[in-house]
Amino acid sequence: MTFLRFLMLLSLVAWIGGLIFFPMVAQTAFSVLPTRQLAGLVVRHSLGILHWMGLISGFVFLISSLLYNRFSAGSANAFALRHLLIAAMLSLTLISQFGIVPRMDALRASIPGEIDSVPPDHPARARFDNLHLWSTRVEQGVLLLGLVLVYLIARQRPQFG
């Protein structure tokens, strides 16, 4: 039982920590690297790593939590609030990784040169900027849901014995 709680907490710590650290990586890349295009590539690659880390962490949390419920309460309780929150986090991460990011990549590839060289009112640039805004909102949503989940776990009374 303690090991299952450990896995639940470790997976949340890794995912939420990555979500909190990611904007600092992006900020550093854009302030240190010589071109915005290079910084964008670093951020894009880092975001992919963050997404896979989140997906693995989310599934580890979900499986551990379902087993923990099963062993401690006799039922997996698949529709417990923490399971619904982690499912929402996983869904948003999947949408970002397989929906938003590939569309941003395609738009970036369709524009010759750097995306910043295209005027903001150009249709491809406007779509890219809109997708970037949605990408940011999705990551913020995952972080907010994760913090709510951390709070729920923190207020839960552990069962000793």
Side-chain angles (χ1 to χ4, degrees):
M1 296 283 282
T2 301
F3 184 69
L4 291 173
R5 284 184 58 82
F6 167 75
L7 287 177
M8 290 165 55
L9 292 172
L10 178 62
S11 62
L12 277 181
V13 166
W15 195 356
I16 302 303
L19 287 166
I20 291 170
F21 188 66
F22 179 73
M24 292 173 234
V25 170
Q27 172 71 31
T28 302
F30 280 100
S31 65
V32 171
L33 293 174
T35 67
R36 291 183 56 79
Q37 183 174 4
L38 219 67
L41 291 173
V42 168
V43 170
R44 164 61 181 96
H45 184 72
S46 299
L47 184 60
I49 293 169
L50 176 64
H51 284 159
W52 283 107
M53 191 172 80
L55 292 170
I56 292 166
S57 294
F59 284 114
V60 167
F61 178 91
L62 188 58
I63 291 165
S64 299
S65 183
L66 288 167
L67 288 172
Y68 180 83
N69 278 2
R70 177 76 172 111
F71 294 142
S72 66
S75 169
N77 197 6
F79 295 104
L81 182 55
R82 67 180 178 209
H83 300 148
L84 297 175
L85 288 170
I86 204 78
M89 292 170 66
L90 285 165
S91 297
L92 288 173
T93 302
L94 287 167
I95 288 167
S96 182
Q97 179 66 23
F98 298 108
I100 296 172
V101 170
R103 291 169 57 198
M104 289 177 71
D105 289 344
L107 283 168
R108 189 181 296 114
S110 74
I111 296 172
E114 292 188 28
I115 191 119
D116 289 336
S117 65
V118 177
D121 60 345
H122 187 276
R125 170 74 185 269
R127 284 194 305 272
F128 180 88
D129 290 345
N130 187 48
L131 286 169
H132 181 269
L133 179 63
W134 275 104
S135 174
T136 302
R137 288 176 179 162
V138 166
E139 297 306 321
Q140 289 171 346
V142 173
L143 177 58
L144 179 62
L145 291 170
L147 291 174
V148 170
L149 183 55
V150 168
Y151 175 78
L152 289 176
I153 299 297
R155 76 177 192 150
Q156 180 181 356
R157 193 176 298 254
Q159 297 172 351
F160 297 104

